[in-house]
Amino acid sequence: MQAAPPGVLIANSSVSTGSLPTRQPSRPVPPTRGPGDPSGGTPDPPAPRRLPTPIRPGAVGPQDVALIVVSALSSFCLVWVVFYQLTSLTGGLGFLVCWYAGFLALTWFGTSQVIERQVATDRVAGILVWTAGLLIIGIVIFIVAWVTYKAVPSIHWSALFTKDQRTLAASDPNLLNHVGVLQAIVGTLEQVLMATLMGVPFAIATAVYLNEVGTGRTARLVRTVVTAMSGTPSIVAGVFIYSIFIFTGVLHYSGFAASLALVVILLPSVTRVVEEVLRVVPSGLREASLSLGAPEWRTVWSVVIPTARSGVVTAVLLGVARIVGETAPLIFTAFGSQVLNANPLVHDQGALPLVILSNTHAAQQVLIDIAFQAAFVLMSIVLILFVLARYFSRTKSKKSGRAQPTEDDMMARYFLPIPIERSPE
Amino acid sequence: MTTYATTPPPPVPEDVSGLGHNRGTDFSGEAGQIDADGVHAWFSGRLVLAGVTLTMEKSKVTALIGPSGCGKSTFLRILNRMHEVVPGAQLAGSVRLDGLDIYGPGQRAMETRRHIGMVFQKPNPFPAMTIAENVLAGLRFSRVSAGDKGDLVEASLTKAGLWKEVKDRLGELGGALSGGQQQRLCIARALAVKPRVLLMDEPCSALDPTSTLRIEETIKDIADEVTVVIVTHNMQQAQRVSDYCAFFLAEENLPGRVIEAGRTETIFGNPTDQRTFDYVNGQFG
Ligand SMILES: Nc1ncnc2c1ncn2[C@@H]1O[C@H](COP(=O)(O)OP(=O)(O)OP(=O)(O)O)[C@@H](O)[C@H]1O
Ligand SMILES: [Mg+2]
């Protein structure tokens, strides 16, 4: 490997300068690339197509890795000495935070010495956003794994989805054989479904008003109100429905009352996201539609919303995700029940968040197990909903049924190296 | 608020079907003539176009030329009531399609736009629709029955010079075409509703020379059946495709006006106004 001239950084000099010269003498191949090239006058079998080794300019090279590893190690040692030996602080979290800060500082310092300051700043910024991304993945995996770990061993699959809690008695040693969370699953599904059916069309209509129809002062007022509404604490939404409908005797405690409270929460968040999504639909499409003689509602219905479809689906998913785990508004509205009640219009109804709420603090281990099982079921429902929604919202070419290439496919098409044809040797 | 025409209603009976008569599924319907009379335009109170009086002859190609910002697009959009889509836009004057004032009382913008189609500078096929659906979009939107849809798709795409390239890909999405193909798809989409006039706002400015020539051929082909008004910055293109030409100019701090209009040969070969001569010979600004 040749030494780079001083002051010039060649990030992957090992690839770009080292591999090409060494390979050519080791395997004699004709210098031409085309198959069937007559070499020596006799028709040879087609020579294997040789492509140059692909390189990625700017890829992370050994020097970069070394810098980062050395920074991490020296920061660890330094902080360990300062933290535990000199100041005799304690606590793992504090140590981690100090280690990370020291790591960033050393990386910046080292890079700016070895390379230059611009690169150092760029690299530290890169490390920060990578950390954020990895941290999110870590947190999600941790939550999912933890709940699964706590819930699954105690689950009796035959009872979980088929039995409610009417025979719940904490002293029963075989409790989990005949107690499940059926009533809560049914309740949550019904409440969320009703809230979605009521809230989503309303939210989309409001977003269309804000983005396509409303102008000037009224639209601004509506937008402000929607924003303020999204700040409503969810317990207030519950109290609101309780005092308006239940306290006055218009409605019973019921799944329907719960779904009304959930609509109050769902509405503003879906509205705002859909509005943002509609805003990025190019205005040229609206003009094209209008200039074909389409009425405005047609333009929105047949051009704007289909164009924004996947974004609208995302908005709805975010809204559903927002309400599916809401607990506070259900306390005053669905009230919770240990008995299966499939009718959402009358009587108390169970809900998974309420099962979690009422069992997590129980003294008996078996009740705590039930809480974790409910959490596990809730997570699974959300996951299944998301996968289904994504599956059905894929943009498809209708006649041929061929999925439109995603952005990733396009990237892959352009950036993956061309597959090398293997010759039968 | 839109300022409507102050001219007396033209001597045409209050018969909306004068615009809306059925032309069948073939392209042999007659083209229309547009008379613009004393057209003024404002954006948020600022006058950008003053006193444009221009006749766009039936079955002919009229080119609108002029430097940037002189109001060509504004004028074109006034001709099919797209101007009023812009918030704060106002206008005065009258525009008549075959004698019927399109801004007259009782005239609906939707109806007008169905008879005066438009092709935009940037190709804008509907990305969520297939190629065939794009062509049929106008009919679907205005709920006009099309007769045989397959025939209409083929006829429109053939008119636009795209049929051979896409006849096996009609089920693919409109966005899967190249830029030039997309623009021709937009032309096919505009032609499918059988307009009497087709307005084109710099339809070739984003295209390569080959696609440009294809579209120019298309324009010449469709000209007997539909009157074409085209805005272009390309002097050669104006000479190649147009029969008539109008030179727009907005002098400093003044609204845009028509300086000179007439047969294309005259405008390019023997203009009466010095400014026209300078502009068409590239000696302007
Ligand atoms: N939406 C709008 N709001 C405010 N002013 C506008 C708007 N559209 C156009 N104008 C103004 O109206 C004038 C005429 O614009 P227009 O788009 O008609 O010019 P043009 O001749 O088509 O120019 P170009 O050749 O660059 O397309 C310009 O001064 C422009 O700034
Ligand atoms: Mg323009």
Side-chain angles (χ1 to χ4, degrees):
Chain A
M1 178 174 153
Q2 289 163 319
V8 177
L9 171 74
I10 300 179
N12 41 14
S13 52
S14 64
V15 179
S16 57
T17 59
S19 66
L20 282 183
T22 54
R23 181 171 295 176
Q24 270 158 1
S26 71
R27 265 186 67 179
V29 287
T32 47
R33 305 173 66 185
D37 184 64
S39 56
T42 53
D44 278 359
R49 200 149 62 97
R50 300 282 301 177
L51 289 168
T53 317
I55 59 160
R56 279 196 48 134
V60 178
Q63 188 196 29
D64 310 316
V65 175
L67 258 172
I68 289 177
V69 170
V70 168
S71 306
L73 283 180
S74 43
S75 164
F76 184 86
C77 301
L78 187 71
V79 173
W80 187 77
V81 169
V82 173
F83 202 81
Y84 289 121
Q85 306 303 314
L86 297 183
T87 58
S88 62
L89 290 166
T90 51
L93 188 63
F95 176 76
L96 279 180
V97 170
C98 292
W99 177 26
Y100 186 68
F103 164 60
L104 287 182
L106 283 180
T107 305
W108 189 86
F109 186 71
T111 312
S112 65
Q113 290 298 307
V114 178
I115 306 171
E116 57 155 347
R117 287 179 57 172
Q118 288 288 325
V119 176
T121 311
D122 197 44
R123 182 162 297 166
V124 168
I127 291 175
L128 280 173
V129 293
W130 266 94
T131 313
L134 294 180
L135 211 56
I136 286 286
I137 295 181
I139 291 171
V140 170
I141 290 180
F142 180 67
I143 293 175
V144 172
W146 175 253
V147 171
T148 310
Y149 165 74
K150 294 292 266 187
V152 170
S154 65
I155 289 181
H156 287 227
W157 295 99
S158 57
L160 183 67
F161 299 116
T162 54
K163 300 280 191 331
D164 62 16
Q165 298 181 332
R166 70 182 76 202
T167 54
L168 186 87
S171 53
D172 183 352
N174 290 325
L175 180 66
L176 290 173
N177 279 334
H178 53 84
V179 166
V181 290
L182 176 67
Q183 94 287 5
I185 296 175
V186 169
T188 289
L189 286 180
E190 284 183 355
Q191 290 152 22
V192 170
L193 184 71
M194 279 190 300
T196 310
L197 288 182
M198 287 186 286
V200 166
F202 193 179
I204 293 181
T206 313
V208 166
Y209 168 76
L210 285 176
N211 201 47
E212 312 283 328
V213 182
T215 47
R217 221 181 267 167
T218 332
R220 267 206 303 282
L221 178 71
V222 173
R223 192 172 290 123
T224 313
V225 168
V226 170
T227 311
M229 198 174 161
S230 65
T232 315
S234 58
I235 193 157
V236 175
V239 171
F240 169 71
I241 298 297
Y242 173 79
S243 55
I244 297 281
F245 293 116
I246 297 177
F247 185 73
T248 56
V250 179
L251 289 175
H252 297 277
Y253 285 117
S254 62
F256 181 68
S259 68
L260 287 181
L262 293 179
V263 166
V264 175
I265 299 159
L266 176 88
L267 196 58
S269 71
V270 176
T271 303
R272 286 315 298 265
V273 182
V274 173
E275 194 204 346
E276 294 302 323
V277 168
L278 294 186
R279 188 171 298 163
V280 300
V281 173
S283 62
L285 295 182
R286 298 186 181 90
E287 297 209 327
S289 170
L290 289 177
S291 77
L292 285 170
E296 241 175 282
W297 70 266
R298 254 297 183 195
T299 301
V300 171
W301 182 252
S302 300
V303 174
V304 177
I305 291 183
T307 304
R309 187 171 67 166
S310 101
V312 172
V313 170
T314 305
V316 173
L317 283 183
L318 287 175
V320 171
R322 174 85 208 278
I323 60 170
V324 80
E326 279 292 351
T327 317
L330 305 184
I331 301 171
F332 311 103
T333 50
F335 199 71
S337 165
Q338 298 190 322
V339 180
L340 176 65
N341 168 21
N343 183 354
L345 297 179
V346 287
H347 298 313
D348 315 351
Q349 199 178 37
L352 287 167
L354 293 179
V355 173
I356 301 172
L357 176 72
S358 53
N359 290 306
T360 306
H361 286 295
Q364 293 88 350
Q365 182 57 39
V366 69
L367 296 183
I368 298 177
D369 287 345
I370 289 178
F372 271 105
Q373 291 177 6
F376 177 73
V377 172
L378 189 59
M379 263 174 17
S380 309
I381 288 177
V382 173
L383 190 70
I384 291 169
L385 282 180
F386 276 32
V387 170
L388 284 182
R390 277 279 160 247
Y391 181 79
F392 286 112
S393 73
R394 280 181 317 170
T395 327
K396 264 200 192 165
S397 169
K398 284 173 199 156
K399 303 281 156 51
S400 64
R402 195 169 58 95
Q404 200 190 15
T406 63
E407 217 162 63
D408 285 349
D409 294 346
M410 305 292 257
M411 297 294 276
R413 191 169 303 163
Y414 285 114
F415 290 113
L416 286 186
I418 308 156
I420 299 170
E421 291 155 25
R422 309 227 174 269
S423 64
E425 273 184 335
Chain B
M1 197 187 84
T2 308
T3 315
Y4 285 106
T6 48
T7 46
V12 173
E14 289 281 298
D15 181 11
V16 184
S17 68
L19 274 179
H21 70 278
N22 188 4
R23 303 179 65 205
T25 49
D26 64 328
F27 275 94
S28 56
E30 70 274 35
Q33 167 172 327
I34 293 193
D35 299 284
D37 196 5
V39 168
H40 293 63
W42 290 261
F43 282 111
S44 319
R46 189 166 65 91
L47 184 66
V48 299
L49 201 61
V52 175
T53 300
L54 199 62
T55 294
M56 279 133 282
E57 302 265 355
K58 180 177 158 124
S59 294
K60 295 283 189 274
V61 180
T62 305
L64 311 182
I65 57 173
S68 184
C70 62
K72 305 179 296 294
S73 300
T74 307
F75 179 68
L76 203 66
R77 291 164 61 91
I78 286 173
L79 298 185
N80 76 338
R81 300 195 59 168
M82 287 300 286
H83 181 62
E84 65 207 47
V85 172
V86 180
Q90 295 173 302
L91 68 111
S94 78
V95 176
R96 290 193 301 279
L97 172 62
D98 289 339
L100 190 69
D101 189 351
I102 64 169
Y103 287 102
Q107 283 301 339
R108 286 179 306 134
M110 273 184 288
E111 187 72 20
T112 303
R113 291 176 195 144
R114 216 169 296 155
H115 293 276
I116 309 181
M118 189 154 194
V119 174
F120 297 82
Q121 176 171 1
K122 215 170 137 231
N124 50 12
F126 300 128
M129 297 185 195
T130 66
I131 292 173
E133 286 169 340
N134 260 288
V135 175
L136 296 171
L139 295 175
R140 195 175 131 222
F141 291 169
S142 45
R143 298 218 261 108
V144 176
S145 57
D148 186 77
K149 292 196 169 138
D151 285 355
L152 181 70
V153 169
E154 177 171 351
S156 309
L157 286 170
T158 308
K159 275 286 154 204
L162 189 61
W163 173 249
K164 290 208 189 80
E165 285 156 74
V166 301
K167 63 171 183 283
D168 301 321
R169 311 168 53 186
L170 294 177
E172 281 179 39
L173 294 177
L177 298 173
S178 78
Q181 291 172 328
Q182 289 187 11
Q183 190 65 300
R184 278 178 279 148
L185 177 59
C186 293
I187 294 176
R189 181 177 67 186
L191 289 176
V193 292
K194 301 183 179 66
R196 291 198 245 167
V197 181
L198 187 61
L199 311 175
M200 306 176 108
D201 195 350
E202 300 180 46
C204 303
S205 67
L207 304 184
D208 70 303
T210 320
S211 304
T212 302
L213 287 179
R214 297 291 305 269
I215 289 181
E216 287 177 13
E217 277 164 27
T218 302
I219 293 172
K220 285 184 209 147
D221 287 346
I222 60 178
D224 346 326
E225 294 140 24
V226 50
T227 306
V228 176
V229 185
I230 178 172
V231 172
T232 175
H233 282 285
N234 182 331
M235 292 303 114
Q236 284 80 37
Q237 182 171 64
Q239 287 182 72
R240 282 193 299 262
V241 298
S242 70
D243 305 299
Y244 294 91
C245 212
F247 174 54
F248 282 65
L249 183 62
E251 280 157 315
E252 220 173 312
N253 295 325
L254 288 176
R257 290 187 301 126
V258 174
I259 300 297
E260 192 171 352
R263 296 201 62 85
T264 303
E265 305 93 82
T266 320
I267 297 287
F268 281 89
N270 188 19
T272 49
D273 197 291
Q274 181 64 31
R275 292 166 294 186
T276 315
F277 181 85
D278 290 347
Y279 184 77
V280 300
N281 290 293
Q283 290 158 4
F284 202 85

